[in-house]
Amino acid sequence: MRTAAAKRYTKRFFTTMAAYVVVLSSSSWALNNYDPSGAARILLSVLPALPVIAALVVIGIYLVEETDEFLRRQIVSAMLFGIGVVLSISTVLGFMQYAEVIGQVDVFWAFPIWCISWGLAQCAVGLRDKAAGAGE
């Protein structure tokens, strides 16, 4: 059963992701077709990050609004797992770059990797707790 906070979170999160798609597409189109310079180029390059930052705020709001402590514990555990995955990957890649084994790595992948890791961990934690009969 989904809580009221989870329903609000889903609506808000998908709104920010829809905004991300629109802003990213528009920004990329403008950068490729107008090739702006200076402040306009900086603004167009930063704009796609704003919906991602808004998504992080939405996630924080959800944790504040969620009143089910068991569910909140599951979410926080999964988020910490996702953070661990991102930090582990960035540490390995950082040392590989330092040793000149690999070249530049695009850091904007951190958020998608965190979200995927969080989602997989959320599923694993949910299945583990369901198998143990917890939360019933």
Side-chain angles (χ1 to χ4, degrees), residues 1-4 6-7 68 71:
M1 184 169 84
R2 293 176 43 112
T3 63
K7 290 176 184 173
D68 185 331
L71 186 56

PDB file of all heavy atoms in Angstrom, residues 1-4 6-7 68 71:
ATOM      1  N   MET A   1       0.853  -1.186   0.000  1.00  0.00           N
ATOM      2  CA  MET A   1       0.000   0.000   0.000  1.00  0.00           C
ATOM      3  C   MET A   1       0.893   1.241   0.000  1.00  0.00           C
ATOM      4  O   MET A   1       1.805   1.355   0.783  1.00  0.00           O
ATOM      5  CB  MET A   1      -0.904  -0.001   1.222  1.00  0.00           C
ATOM      6  CG  MET A   1      -1.866   1.159   1.213  1.00  0.00           C
ATOM      7  SD  MET A   1      -3.138   1.009   2.463  1.00  0.00           S
ATOM      8  CE  MET A   1      -2.305   1.673   3.870  1.00  0.00           C
ATOM      9  N   ARG A   2       0.583   2.139  -0.890  1.00  0.00           N
ATOM     10  CA  ARG A   2       1.373   3.366  -0.986  1.00  0.00           C
ATOM     11  C   ARG A   2       0.820   4.407  -0.031  1.00  0.00           C
ATOM     12  O   ARG A   2      -0.377   4.575   0.100  1.00  0.00           O
ATOM     13  CB  ARG A   2       1.345   3.889  -2.414  1.00  0.00           C
ATOM     14  CG  ARG A   2       2.080   2.971  -3.382  1.00  0.00           C
ATOM     15  CD  ARG A   2       1.940   3.472  -4.779  1.00  0.00           C
ATOM     16  NE  ARG A   2       2.125   4.903  -4.807  1.00  0.00           N
ATOM     17  CZ  ARG A   2       3.150   5.517  -5.370  1.00  0.00           C
ATOM     18  NH1 ARG A   2       4.055   4.809  -5.957  1.00  0.00           N
ATOM     19  NH2 ARG A   2       3.251   6.818  -5.364  1.00  0.00           N
ATOM     20  N   THR A   3       1.731   5.129   0.607  1.00  0.00           N
ATOM     21  CA  THR A   3       1.320   6.183   1.531  1.00  0.00           C
ATOM     22  C   THR A   3       0.992   7.457   0.740  1.00  0.00           C
ATOM     23  O   THR A   3       1.360   7.583  -0.439  1.00  0.00           O
ATOM     24  CB  THR A   3       2.437   6.481   2.541  1.00  0.00           C
ATOM     25  OG1 THR A   3       3.571   6.981   1.813  1.00  0.00           O
ATOM     26  CG2 THR A   3       2.829   5.242   3.334  1.00  0.00           C
ATOM     27  N   ALA A   4       0.330   8.393   1.420  1.00  0.00           N
ATOM     28  CA  ALA A   4       0.009   9.677   0.780  1.00  0.00           C
ATOM     29  C   ALA A   4       1.293  10.416   0.407  1.00  0.00           C
ATOM     30  O   ALA A   4       1.376  11.041  -0.658  1.00  0.00           O
ATOM     31  CB  ALA A   4      -0.858  10.519   1.704  1.00  0.00           C
ATOM     32  N   ALA A   6       4.116   9.032  -0.398  1.00  0.00           N
ATOM     33  CA  ALA A   6       4.707   8.367  -1.565  1.00  0.00           C
ATOM     34  C   ALA A   6       4.000   8.795  -2.849  1.00  0.00           C
ATOM     35  O   ALA A   6       4.646   8.975  -3.888  1.00  0.00           O
ATOM     36  CB  ALA A   6       4.636   6.850  -1.392  1.00  0.00           C
ATOM     37  N   LYS A   7       2.698   8.971  -2.776  1.00  0.00           N
ATOM     38  CA  LYS A   7       1.964   9.422  -3.964  1.00  0.00           C
ATOM     39  C   LYS A   7       2.383  10.842  -4.349  1.00  0.00           C
ATOM     40  O   LYS A   7       2.568  11.145  -5.531  1.00  0.00           O
ATOM     41  CB  LYS A   7       0.459   9.365  -3.695  1.00  0.00           C
ATOM     42  CG  LYS A   7      -0.064   7.944  -3.598  1.00  0.00           C
ATOM     43  CD  LYS A   7      -1.526   7.933  -3.245  1.00  0.00           C
ATOM     44  CE  LYS A   7      -2.008   6.496  -3.046  1.00  0.00           C
ATOM     45  NZ  LYS A   7      -3.385   6.432  -2.545  1.00  0.00           N
ATOM     46  N   ASP A  68       5.665   6.766   7.797  1.00  0.00           N
ATOM     47  CA  ASP A  68       5.906   5.352   8.068  1.00  0.00           C
ATOM     48  C   ASP A  68       7.407   5.148   8.326  1.00  0.00           C
ATOM     49  O   ASP A  68       8.217   5.183   7.400  1.00  0.00           O
ATOM     50  CB  ASP A  68       5.439   4.516   6.872  1.00  0.00           C
ATOM     51  CG  ASP A  68       5.539   3.021   7.121  1.00  0.00           C
ATOM     52  OD1 ASP A  68       6.410   2.587   7.906  1.00  0.00           O
ATOM     53  OD2 ASP A  68       4.740   2.285   6.503  1.00  0.00           O
ATOM     54  N   LEU A  71       9.125   2.238   6.409  1.00  0.00           N
ATOM     55  CA  LEU A  71       9.366   2.578   5.011  1.00  0.00           C
ATOM     56  C   LEU A  71      10.510   3.571   4.886  1.00  0.00           C
ATOM     57  O   LEU A  71      11.377   3.446   4.020  1.00  0.00           O
ATOM     58  CB  LEU A  71       8.096   3.137   4.388  1.00  0.00           C
ATOM     59  CG  LEU A  71       8.104   3.413   2.905  1.00  0.00           C
ATOM     60  CD1 LEU A  71       8.463   2.173   2.108  1.00  0.00           C
ATOM     61  CD2 LEU A  71       6.749   3.944   2.463  1.00  0.00           C
TER      62      LEU A  71
END
